Amino acid sequence: MWRISAPVIPVQSVLDACVVNVADAGRKAAFEALGTPLSDAAEAFWTALQSTTLHELPEVDTVGGMTTADMIWLYEQKLVPAKAPGRAIYDTLKMAAPNGKCPLCGRGTVYSLDHHLPKTRYADLTITPTNLIPSCQDCNKTKTQSIPLLAAEETIHPYIDDIDVDIWLRARVVEVTPAALFFYADPPPSWPLTLQRRVKHHFRVFKLRKAYASEAGYLIGNIRGHLIRNVSKQGATGIRAYLADQAESCRDVRRNSWEAAAYSALSESDWFCNGGYSLLG
């Protein structure tokens, strides 16, 4: 859930690349005629994105006489495959995510492009670069084909929403054996109410509580030995200081990484710092 640079590739360039080797002359001509309607749709999409009014965009099943199935064929056959004529553009869009990390969750490795508004319901946005977001497999599959019906149901868009300016991702320790973490979205009350709701909605849609808890389980297991062997001699104060320093170091990179939230929660837990860290299941 962090911002990445928006692509500067016009949809006309994507269209030109994709249609170059369409064998059927009639079909190729029909696709080539889509330049203006696809460009208009891309502009309307970007405007709606900036004003948080994507939910007002009408669904589109035909564009310039080409159906949803035609546009999905163009995407799946001419943009995605390794030897497709548009593959270089596909790869450029994927590489927009720093270090190959999924900007939708900050956890997984980018595997493909996700349609922010689904291609099955917006034929005119099927190959629009700003509607294509690098994502991991989990996020791409989890989001499904749902669309927002309200502004508050618009998930965070990495090309335009910057929500890493304040801390909104938090966690608390669950005092069980072994220790566990419960993550939750807690946007600052100073944020616009719609943005607060969108962040919480994004957190639910991508099932980040469960994903982060799983990662945190491994993290706690991995640091247990270090805490016991190297830090426990300094007592709870030393444990807390070590964990707080780790949290700060993580926040230097991303204020709202799950790692930063995890270390913060562990450092703030008296139970964990006083021995909870050493308990095995």
Side-chain angles (χ1 to χ4, degrees), residues 253-273:
V253 181
R254 299 284 183 189
R255 285 191 180 89
N256 294 286
S257 68
W258 69 264
E259 295 97 329
Y263 277 117
S264 289
L266 295 175
S267 72
E268 294 165 0
S269 168
D270 291 337
W271 175 82
F272 187 83
C273 294

Side-chain angles (χ1 to χ4, degrees), residues 12-174:
Q12 179 70 61
S13 297
V14 184
L15 180 64
D16 291 344
C18 289
V19 302
V20 68
N21 68 348
V22 174
D24 184 288
R27 198 176 201 197
K28 181 177 181 179
F31 277 127
E32 288 176 332
L34 296 181
T36 298
L38 292 187
S39 296
D40 289 347
E43 184 176 344
F45 172 75
W46 189 249
T47 299
L49 198 58
Q50 293 175 303
S51 57
T52 320
T53 55
L54 286 182
H55 59 287
E56 296 178 0
L57 288 180
E59 294 185 47
V60 176
D61 59 11
T62 304
V63 55
M66 304 304 281
T67 66
T68 297
D70 291 324
M71 296 307 297
I72 291 177
W73 176 86
L74 188 69
Y75 175 79
E76 293 183 345
Q77 299 301 317
K78 301 301 181 182
L79 190 65
V80 178
K83 296 183 179 180
R87 180 65 193 201
I89 293 175
Y90 187 92
D91 287 338
T92 297
L93 295 173
K94 280 180 62 181
M95 289 187 290
N99 301 315
K101 279 290 183 183
C102 176
L104 297 173
C105 66
R107 180 183 67 97
T109 300
V110 170
Y111 177 79
S112 60
L113 297 178
D114 174 65
H115 287 79
H116 190 72
L117 289 183
K119 57 185 181 294
T120 55
R121 304 179 74 165
Y122 293 88
D124 54 347
L125 297 173
T126 302
I127 62 170
T128 299
T130 49
N131 190 42
L132 299 173
I133 299 172
S135 69
C136 65
Q137 276 187 300
D138 285 349
C139 285
N140 204 332
K141 290 179 179 178
T142 301
K143 185 161 160 281
T144 70
Q145 304 301 311
S146 61
I147 61 174
L149 301 178
L150 304 166
E153 294 179 355
E154 294 185 17
T155 55
I156 299 303
H157 194 300
Y159 294 150
I160 196 165
D161 293 311
D162 186 1
I163 58 170
D164 206 37
V165 293
D166 296 306
I167 295 174
W168 60 265
L169 178 61
R170 302 183 188 280
R172 63 172 177 267
V173 172
V174 181

Side-chain angles (χ1 to χ4, degrees), residues 214-264:
S214 176
E215 297 286 353
Y218 279 104
L219 173 70
I220 293 171
N222 287 337
I223 66 173
R224 178 183 295 114
H226 176 69
L227 294 178
I228 293 173
R229 289 190 297 271
N230 304 317
V231 190
S232 60
K233 64 187 70 172
Q234 301 170 36
T237 300
I239 295 286
R240 193 185 309 280
Y242 169 79
L243 295 170
D245 185 65
Q246 291 295 310
E248 191 64 22
S249 181
C250 291
R251 292 206 192 282
D252 287 343
V253 181
R254 299 284 183 189
R255 285 191 180 89
N256 294 286
S257 68
W258 69 264
E259 295 97 329
Y263 277 117
S264 289

